[in-house]
Amino acid sequence: TTGTFSGILKTDDATDATSTTDGSLQTDGGLSVVKDIVAGDDILLLSDSSQLLFGADSEVALAHIPDKGLVLECGTVSAMPEFQLVNKNDDATGARLMFLKDPTSGHAQMADNDVLGVIDFLGEDDAGNMTIYGAIEAKATDVSNNSEDGRLTFTVLKNATATDYLLLDGTAGAVVVEAGVLAGPGAGDLVVASDGNMSFYIDYDENETGQSYKWYNHGGGGNADEIMGLDESGNLEFDGGIEVGG
């Protein structure tokens, strides 16, 4: 039986809905609404893999992954989906993306080297295997109150091996680029500046023997020519003359 009402259909019953069969307004089929939906409390999507679809063509979906989380996906538009955080307030602050690890809500505590968050960049290889090509990881290396330290690690694939190319370490105050090689832009200079004394260490953790410190000039011929070397005994060697001015 189909009924059509020209006025407001209203129920004064205040029963909460906790399932599909116990609310004040129930239907065994779908619910079609032309205008806005306003809810004064929670909205429950009780089925695994449920979705919220957006757009006239339902081209953007926020999909539930059971026991894992949510996925924002778009399969019909190029270079999408795009997720934006926009701050339209007239002030000096911007939008904020937060990764929060809060085990205290479960009556536990953080521990040294707990991972705070990871951003993975994935895509398929030419064999169809889903592959992580790059990642950014944040870690709490020291959670001691008033002396906390953190670490950011930037990892990319090199010859199918995940390699830490950049590490920002609050504990050691270190920056490591490409497994120990610190390099400047290809067309520019690498500048190391200090407002006071500056120290350079060879084998800082003292786990190697026969250390040396060398300077090279990479000319246009494709070869890197050694121009100066310093060995572990402090002997300094120059490939060329020494000119002293003043």
Side-chain angles (χ1 to χ4, degrees):
T1 301
T2 300
T4 302
F5 301 87
S6 59
I8 295 176
L9 179 61
K10 180 179 179 181
T11 173
D12 291 328
D13 185 84
T15 303
D16 273 335
T18 58
S19 72
T20 58
T21 59
D22 62 359
S24 297
L25 185 63
Q26 302 176 27
T27 172
D28 289 336
L31 180 64
S32 299
V33 180
V34 174
K35 295 192 175 182
D36 296 343
I37 297 175
V38 178
D41 209 336
D42 300 333
I43 297 176
L44 281 67
L45 302 181
L46 296 180
S47 59
D48 281 344
S49 303
S50 57
Q51 298 183 79
L52 288 175
L53 304 177
F54 302 88
D57 300 322
S58 299
E59 72 278 5
V60 177
L62 186 62
H64 169 241
I65 307 300
D67 303 319
K68 192 169 185 178
L70 297 173
V71 172
L72 182 66
E73 57 186 8
C74 178
T76 60
V77 183
S78 177
M80 297 295 174
E82 179 179 288
F83 185 77
Q84 298 185 16
L85 300 177
V86 180
N87 182 349
K88 293 187 177 182
N89 192 34
D90 185 13
D91 60 15
T93 64
R96 183 176 184 180
L97 180 63
M98 181 183 296
F99 291 77
L100 175 63
K101 182 176 177 63
D102 186 18
T104 56
S105 60
H107 307 291
Q109 289 185 335
M110 289 273 295
D112 290 350
N113 295 314
D114 275 1
V115 175
L116 302 173
V118 178
I119 301 176
D120 287 334
F121 300 88
L122 294 91
E124 291 185 349
D125 60 18
D126 59 7
N129 301 309
M130 190 59 66
T131 303
I132 300 176
Y133 286 90
I136 304 173
E137 179 190 83
K139 181 179 290 187
T141 54
D142 185 351
V143 298
S144 302
N145 187 33
N146 294 324
S147 62
E148 300 90 337
D149 292 311
R151 176 184 296 171
L152 275 179
T153 303
F154 295 77
T155 304
V156 298
L157 277 188
K158 182 177 182 180
N159 295 326
T161 300
T163 304
D164 295 343
Y165 268 64
L166 176 61
L167 185 149
L168 307 176
D169 194 317
T171 302
V175 178
V176 180
V177 181
E178 195 179 352
V181 179
L182 180 61
D189 299 325
L190 174 64
V191 179
V192 181
S194 172
D195 59 0
N197 297 325
M198 183 179 295
S199 300
F200 293 91
Y201 289 89
I202 302 173
D203 188 28
Y204 182 79
D205 53 5
E206 301 180 352
N207 64 350
E208 299 291 343
T209 58
Q211 306 92 340
S212 63
Y213 192 67
K214 298 181 182 294
W215 287 260
Y216 291 87
N217 178 29
H218 200 294
N223 296 320
D225 298 321
E226 181 181 340
I227 59 176
M228 185 169 65
L230 177 66
D231 65 21
E232 61 182 340
S233 299
N235 299 312
L236 188 61
E237 178 183 352
F238 293 90
D239 185 7
I242 301 176
E243 181 177 344
V244 180

